[in-house]
Amino acid sequence: MKRINLYIMMACMGVSLIACKGNSNGQDTAVQDLGEEASGFFSQNSDALDYSKQKTKKKKPVCTGGLEVPARKQGSNEIILQRKGYTTSYNPTTKIPNWVAWHLTAAHTEGGNDRHENMFHEDMEVPQPRVTDDDYYNSGFDRGHMCPAGDNKWDRNVLRETFLFTNICPQVHRLNSGPWNDLEIACRRWAKKYGSIYIVCGPLLDNRQHRTIGRRRVVVPERFFKVVLAMDGKPKAIGFIYDNNGRNSEKMFSHATTVDEVERLTGIDFFPQLDDMIEDDVEAVRGYF
């Protein structure tokens, strides 16, 4: 079969996206110069898919949230918590989320609600033992947001929910305040550019045994991932991997990879509600903004 443009194929076949209404968030600050790569757009391989080699059509999961919500993993240890600003898969064994997903819109990248130091609090919707501030006290690790407070300043209660410990992981300060924060700022910029983006992030647990902190033995991840999908125009996606230490490059795109690679590392199926052809296309190629 000839290689043909994806959207011509979609027009001929009447293909449409399978999606549900998602979540929304916002707030931006001054963005540093991210270089020539960041000034462009999510670029895809110019070659269209060879549909003669298309994978067997996958069985789609039941739609239980927005386009950003990953597929449920069979036998996974998780408690799904639906917030107004995000969805989290909390792991009661590790005491950190498996993943956190949200739909960041341009309208929610602004807001007048400010954070303050005493906002962190335990999540009463999960069983004991529950993580508290005491677990992080003198641990040497920051209380690292997965869904950022900066994406949720558009509503006071939504902002407060980001400080629940079911949305928090132990992060090295130089990561939390440096490259990870830069990526969060860039995501707000991209949400404004494309109208909205879909984001999933969380910890990567590489070792058989993990360092823990606090009386409740909160697991410290070795790395973190983030995947981003934009649906404006031609769908495009990108993944990022950061080490949980102070040795990450300041160049954001040096941490970029494909969504397929992040799926391989995590075992998580991202953006499963996309049409199969679109999902296979955008996840196989590392995009750029």
Side-chain angles (χ1 to χ4, degrees), residues 149-166:
D151 284 9
N152 292 276
K153 294 183 177 181
W154 50 277
D155 182 280
R156 182 176 62 183
N157 291 328
V158 170
L159 174 64
R160 187 174 184 275
E161 286 185 334
T162 67
F163 287 85
L164 289 164
F165 279 106
T166 46

Side-chain angles (χ1 to χ4, degrees), residues 43-238:
S43 68
Q44 295 290 307
N45 190 324
S46 58
D47 292 334
L49 284 176
D50 182 350
Y51 294 108
S52 65
K53 298 179 181 179
Q54 182 70 22
K55 298 177 183 177
T56 301
K57 193 170 184 64
K58 295 174 284 189
K59 181 180 180 181
K60 290 297 183 182
V62 175
C63 180
T64 57
L67 186 61
E68 72 280 5
V69 177
R72 296 290 296 271
K73 290 176 66 176
Q74 292 294 327
S76 62
N77 193 6
E78 65 178 0
I79 300 172
I80 300 296
L81 300 166
Q82 181 68 58
R83 312 298 185 195
K84 187 174 180 181
Y86 63 89
T87 302
T88 181
S89 165
Y90 176 70
N91 190 318
T93 301
T94 62
K95 307 296 188 299
I96 57 176
N98 298 308
W99 51 260
V100 180
W102 64 105
H103 180 203
L104 179 60
T105 68
H108 286 164
T109 57
E110 305 290 346
N113 294 284
D114 294 324
R115 61 180 290 174
H116 56 80
E117 181 60 26
N118 297 322
M119 294 182 74
F120 290 96
H121 54 293
E122 64 183 290
D123 193 332
M124 303 304 290
E125 293 188 36
V126 298
Q128 293 278 17
R130 290 188 286 265
V131 180
T132 72
D133 239 2
D134 290 342
D135 292 298
Y136 283 80
Y137 184 70
N138 281 339
S139 69
F141 290 91
D142 285 4
R143 298 160 295 187
H145 284 76
M146 295 295 95
C147 182
D151 284 9
N152 292 276
K153 294 183 177 181
W154 50 277
D155 182 280
R156 182 176 62 183
N157 291 328
V158 170
L159 174 64
R160 187 174 184 275
E161 286 185 334
T162 67
F163 287 85
L164 289 164
F165 279 106
T166 46
N167 180 48
I168 304 296
C169 289
Q171 280 189 327
V172 170
H173 178 70
R174 287 184 63 183
L175 171 64
N176 186 35
S177 64
W180 192 254
N181 182 61
D182 292 342
L183 181 56
E184 292 173 345
I185 292 170
C187 285
R188 290 191 281 274
R189 178 189 179 189
W190 298 331
K192 290 179 179 179
K193 180 174 182 177
Y194 294 105
S196 74
I197 56 176
Y198 300 87
I199 307 171
V200 190
C201 75
L204 273 169
L205 305 180
D206 297 326
N207 300 334
R208 288 177 176 269
Q209 294 185 339
H210 311 283
R211 180 175 179 177
T212 63
I213 61 172
R215 184 164 61 88
R216 295 157 192 89
R217 300 182 63 81
V218 182
V219 167
V220 178
E222 287 78 44
R223 293 187 291 174
F224 290 93
F225 72 86
K226 180 169 285 188
V227 294
V228 183
L229 170 71
M231 295 300 295
D232 181 59
K234 183 178 181 179
K236 42 256 177 184
I238 191 169

